[in-house]
Amino acid sequence: RGTKKQRKFPLFTVLFSFLWLWVFYIWEPRIPFADNLFCLIIGTFYKIYGELHTAGNNPDHIDSFRFLANLANNITFSSRHMVINHDIFIPRPEGLGTGSINVVTMRPKVVPKDEVLPLVLWFHGGGMVVGKAIDGMIPMNMLHHMNVTIVSVNYRLAPEHPFPAAYHDALSVMKYFATNPEAARIIGADASSIVVAGESAGGNLAAGTAQAAR
């Protein structure tokens, strides 16, 4: 009993972490698809554990859920094939909150720095409660197969920022680049046509943003 929260690290967490390290650093260089396969298995395992741990959407479990989700993401995400810039901030429109909106850009390493690529505006998943701009395997796979500049949005999360805060951030970023093509060119993106995409809850934001832009 007591008010102090304790975080437990089950044995399988440690074992799977070591398994992934072995696959990624020893086996994977010889088998190109091995990191994707094992990252998918291990990441899914962590996600399921996180969902079970927070069954019932108990607000007291939000911190634990976020911790597990970030742990899964840190294990499965690889930046070896991309160039990432974390330090980009978009002004938040007046009346929609304070501060600025952080976005992260991702580009393939094989593309020259000064080459302008199509812009993909990406929204991560997580039920609008967890997650961050560097999240999930879909952006990684996109950059494996397409030469694009991904702009991933660190939109505000509930319960600290209830709906429609996340939607406002998503729409604000899209409008910013659509009306400031030069700002898009600075990050190596062509804003003349913007692809809006997302995973899970991010797909919800992408759909809403696309509808609002019509």
Side-chain angles (χ1 to χ4, degrees):
R1 294 190 177 185
T3 58
K4 185 177 180 180
K5 293 184 178 179
Q6 293 183 343
R7 228 175 235 141
K8 297 180 180 180
F9 294 88
L11 179 60
F12 60 71
T13 299
V14 178
L15 294 178
F16 269 83
S17 298
F18 277 110
L19 173 62
W20 178 85
L21 290 172
W22 178 78
V23 168
F24 192 74
Y25 289 104
I26 299 177
W27 187 24
E28 187 275 335
R30 305 171 198 170
I31 305 177
F33 63 83
D35 62 334
N36 282 347
L37 176 63
F38 276 83
C39 283
L40 179 61
I41 294 171
I42 297 170
T44 301
F45 185 82
Y46 276 112
K47 294 286 188 181
I48 293 173
Y49 179 76
E51 293 283 359
L52 292 175
H53 185 71
T54 56
N57 295 322
N58 187 334
D60 294 336
H61 293 161
I62 290 295
D63 288 342
S64 297
F65 193 9
R66 286 176 176 168
F67 172 78
L68 289 166
N70 288 334
L71 178 63
N73 179 65
N74 292 337
I75 287 176
T76 58
F77 191 85
S78 168
S79 61
R80 292 181 306 157
H81 305 295
M82 65 181 76
V83 177
I84 300 178
N85 185 352
H86 297 263
D87 301 320
I88 301 175
F89 296 89
I90 308 300
R92 183 172 281 119
E94 187 176 352
L96 297 181
T98 59
S100 54
I101 307 167
N102 173 237
V103 301
V104 176
T105 63
M106 294 172 268
R107 288 168 54 90
K109 279 186 177 179
V110 297
V111 176
K113 294 181 180 179
D114 56 350
E115 184 173 342
V116 177
L117 302 175
L119 192 160
V120 175
L121 190 59
W122 176 258
F123 305 109
H124 64 80
M128 300 187 197
V129 175
V130 300
K132 55 186 178 180
I134 300 294
D135 194 357
M137 294 182 62
I138 295 178
M140 279 196 304
N141 287 330
M142 274 198 287
L143 294 180
H144 271 300
H145 300 289
M146 296 184 289
N147 286 341
V148 296
T149 295
I150 297 176
V151 176
S152 185
V153 182
N154 263 323
Y155 55 84
R156 287 172 291 180
L157 301 173
E160 294 87 351
H161 303 282
F163 185 86
Y167 169 73
H168 285 158
D169 286 353
L171 187 59
S172 297
V173 173
M174 191 201 66
K175 286 183 175 179
Y176 176 82
F177 284 113
T179 57
N180 292 275
E182 193 55 39
R185 291 187 67 85
I186 291 175
I187 62 171
D190 178 9
S192 61
S193 58
I194 301 175
V195 175
V196 184
E199 175 186 10
S200 191
N204 185 312
L205 292 176
T209 301
Q211 287 290 327
R214 294 182 64 182

